[in-house]
Amino acid sequence: MSNEHDLVVIGGGPGGYIAALRAAQLGMNAAVIEKEPKLGGTCLRVGCIPSKAMLESSYLYHETQNNLAVHGVKVSGVTLDLAAMLARKDKVVTTLAAGIDGLLKKAKITRYLGTGRIDGVGKVVVENGKEMTPLTAKNIIIATGSKVANLPGVKPDGDRVGTSTEALSYSEVPKHIVVIGGGYIGLEMSSVWRRLGSKVTVLEFLDRILPGIDEEVAKEAHKIFQKQGFEFRLGTKVLEAKSEKKQAVVRFEGGDPITCDRVLLAVGRAPNTEGVGLDSIGLQLDERGRIPIDDHFRTAVPGVYAIGDVVRGPMLAHKAEEEGAACADAIAGKYCHVNYDVIPAVVYTHPEIAAVGKLEDQLQKEGIAYNKGKFPFMANGRARTLNDTEGFVKILADAKTDRILGVHIIGPRAGDLIAEAAAAMEFGASSEDIFRTCHSHPTLSEALKEAALAVHKRTLSI
Ligand code: NAI
């Protein structure tokens, strides 16, 4: 095996392995260095995929227990086999990780197991225990992702105080779980354990949940989650959380300490650049610890590129994937472009929350005149048949041109529905383009069409 490569990618997550696959497609001799035995990064091993597996299973359990009678389906004796649920989740992960291995093999990409460290321009060392493998690389992509952001006073101890990694695999259903941070991870993992029977308390520093999500949608989500039994304490500054005698104690300003079974720390993620050897090539980080790049993913050092969670932009797997493919194109001297104005975001709670484009409050702050159309799922036939009618679709369109500026959805299958909005925006569509497109009946997607009609004050179904 030659240790000389056209491209060495450090990090085998969705950004890294996609970059390598695209590079191989373009005829490059590419390699991926990943320190974990499984490829797929945080997303596949301990993020997007296992959390969605647990969300799906816990939803089915909760629905079977509580919401089938309305359909005339009577069930009794429903019990939880948590070990089987966790095993299914692990199997989904293992199968997908093996799939990535297969893809790399087919594309003749070399996979190195170990930690990749840049060791001067054009040089990378793979460290695996005491074994060191030196590589030479015409091009290097840093795709090392992110790690859990810390909070002073709260140290994940691998016991009662943990991160989403532990929360994906608790061996018993906690009686009471305290979640620090009411963002993506906090709410998705809270949903899983709430459905399985835990009492859930969310401590959020801000006076709202889901910062970064449209305010009207976040308010609706707050109401719905409260109905589901979540306890929210907003405007809460956590001072300390630690394990104490097989339990955990959380101290925060303005209230009595809470004793609980588990604490989940979910206050964001930070770029992972430690030990990557940036010093060896004199690469500086920006004020938020990210690697600065230009619009071709080039760092300040020729031949060194960076993508995904280590660079600016949302920390989302699909954003990293887009950048991975575009970066390989850039290295090959091809056209490369990522449209950062059209990156959808999804929170996989129930109902799901999905967004693309500008927030309403953002348009107001920027002084952009817009028209707004809103349509509730309550008035959507398919949502009625699903018995899943919470939430709405909101479309924001430019007041002069009608071009769609943002779409925000809270409701059933919002994560799938947002794809139509993203495609429309990518094509520069107007809201009229959406409502003039024939939508199948009865589908949830009709709510999007009706919201588009509502932009023009000509909705037909309410
Ligand atoms: P987040 O940024 O979504 O939410 C963190 C929350 O913690 C915010 O509401 C913030 O105000 C709050 N917070 C910050 N400091 C706090 C403090 N001292 N006390 C209490 N609350 C505090 O971050 P999260 O949920 O950890 O997720 C990390 C990243 O992972 C996100 O950037 C997200 O993009 C990504 N992710 C995406 C998912 C998806 O696409 N469905 C799922 C899970 C994560």
Side-chain angles (χ1 to χ4, degrees):
M1 184 167 72
S2 161
N3 288 356
E4 287 171 28
H5 297 282
D6 297 323
L7 171 67
V8 168
V9 184
I10 306 179
Y17 78 76
I18 289 288
L21 285 170
R22 178 69 185 137
Q25 215 169 50
L26 291 165
M28 286 182 239
N29 164 5
V32 175
I33 309 173
E34 168 58 54
K35 63 180 166 41
E36 301 288 338
K38 284 192 184 85
L39 290 164
T42 300
C43 169
L44 175 51
R45 284 183 300 103
V46 286
C48 323
I49 297 295
S51 61
K52 262 82 270 177
M54 288 302 284
L55 279 158
E56 202 56 45
S57 298
S58 60
Y59 180 70
L60 287 175
Y61 171 71
H62 186 263
E63 285 297 289
T64 309
Q65 251 200 346
N66 299 288
N67 295 328
L68 293 193
V70 70
H71 294 277
V73 180
K74 287 193 176 173
V75 285
S76 58
V78 179
T79 53
L80 173 67
D81 182 347
L82 181 58
M85 197 179 273
L86 294 173
R88 186 195 84 96
K89 176 243 334 169
D90 292 340
K91 194 168 168 215
V92 171
V93 171
T94 308
T95 309
L96 287 171
I100 302 173
D101 272 329
L103 288 175
L104 294 202
K105 274 201 194 101
K106 205 168 120 202
K108 300 197 168 37
I109 294 166
T110 313
R111 192 255 147 112
Y112 293 98
L113 178 64
T115 304
R117 179 172 52 79
I118 300 175
D119 192 23
V121 176
K123 291 184 190 159
V124 182
V125 175
V126 185
E127 299 179 355
N128 191 348
K130 283 189 186 141
E131 204 178 303
M132 303 271 181
T133 311
L135 312 178
T136 58
K138 286 193 195 122
N139 300 283
I140 298 168
I141 298 180
I142 304 169
T144 44
S146 58
K147 56 187 176 195
V148 172
N150 288 326
L151 190 61
V154 183
K155 207 169 170 331
D157 56 13
D159 185 15
R160 299 278 135 185
V161 180
T163 67
S164 50
T165 302
E166 289 81 33
L168 284 167
S169 297
Y170 295 150
S171 55
E172 79 297 336
V173 178
K175 283 199 191 67
H176 186 185
I177 168 167
V178 170
V179 177
I180 309 176
Y184 281 66
I185 294 179
L187 294 174
E188 289 185 4
M189 293 318 300
S190 294
S191 295
V192 167
W193 295 106
R194 177 78 201 119
R195 290 169 194 167
L196 298 182
S198 299
K199 173 180 174 184
V200 172
T201 305
V202 180
L203 308 179
E204 166 59 51
F205 183 69
L206 300 175
D207 60 1
R208 57 165 289 181
I209 58 167
L210 291 169
I213 292 285
D214 184 88
E215 209 173 319
E216 194 177 5
V217 169
K219 271 196 187 134
E220 182 75 7
H222 189 158
K223 263 196 289 184
I224 294 171
F225 298 150
Q226 254 174 336
K227 263 201 300 185
Q228 292 175 4
F230 288 50
E231 184 195 358
F232 287 105
R233 296 200 184 191
L234 304 182
T236 298
K237 185 171 180 200
V238 173
L239 303 171
E240 188 185 38
K242 59 177 183 187
S243 299
E244 268 180 33
K245 297 182 201 147
K246 294 195 175 163
Q247 289 213 295
V249 178
V250 186
R251 296 188 172 78
F252 51 94
E253 272 180 8
D256 293 333
I258 303 177
T259 302
C260 58
D261 306 285
R262 298 278 185 180
V263 175
L264 162 59
L265 176 66
V267 294
R269 298 183 60 87
N272 201 4
T273 53
E274 223 179 278
V276 182
L278 303 185
D279 287 354
S280 76
I281 48 171
L283 204 55
Q284 306 283 324
L285 300 177
D286 72 10
E287 69 296 343
R288 289 170 65 184
R290 303 171 300 194
I291 300 175
I293 50 165
D294 67 8
D295 57 5
H296 282 56
F297 316 100
R298 288 178 291 219
T299 67
V301 179
V304 180
Y305 300 76
I307 56 167
D309 287 6
V310 284
V311 303
R312 80 280 176 276
M315 288 185 173
L316 296 171
H318 45 278
K319 175 258 195 190
E321 285 182 28
E322 292 299 317
E323 290 181 335
C327 183
D329 281 334
I331 291 170
K334 290 196 168 296
Y335 172 80
C336 79
H337 179 65
V338 173
N339 182 2
Y340 291 97
D341 293 334
V342 185
I343 298 205
V346 182
V347 189
Y348 296 85
T349 46
H350 195 90
E352 290 180 351
I353 298 164
V356 62
K358 298 258 189 194
L359 312 176
E360 189 169 359
D361 22 336
Q362 206 177 353
L363 291 177
Q364 287 164 358
K365 268 189 217 131
E366 290 173 14
I368 298 170
Y370 63 93
N371 290 322
K372 167 174 165 176
K374 232 177 114 178
F375 189 80
F377 282 102
M378 193 73 94
N380 173 271
R382 188 63 194 279
R384 286 269 174 192
T385 64
L386 292 170
N387 196 38
D388 204 349
T389 53
E390 284 174 319
F392 56 81
V393 176
K394 170 161 99 171
I395 297 183
L396 306 166
D398 189 282
K400 272 203 213 98
T401 64
D402 192 35
R403 190 181 175 128
I404 303 167
L405 302 174
V407 177
H408 304 275
I409 309 177
I410 175 166
R413 299 283 167 196
D416 294 314
L417 294 177
I418 205 68
E420 180 185 349
M425 287 179 70
E426 194 63 49
F427 282 97
S430 63
S431 68
E432 183 175 343
D433 289 327
I434 296 239
F435 80 65
R436 291 203 182 276
T437 303
C438 184
H439 287 66
S440 313
H441 176 75
T443 58
L444 297 168
S445 71
E446 287 172 292
L448 212 77
K449 172 174 173 158
E450 290 286 349
L453 281 164
V455 171
H456 295 264
K457 302 197 171 26
R458 48 179 288 186
T459 170
L460 298 166
S461 301
I462 42 172

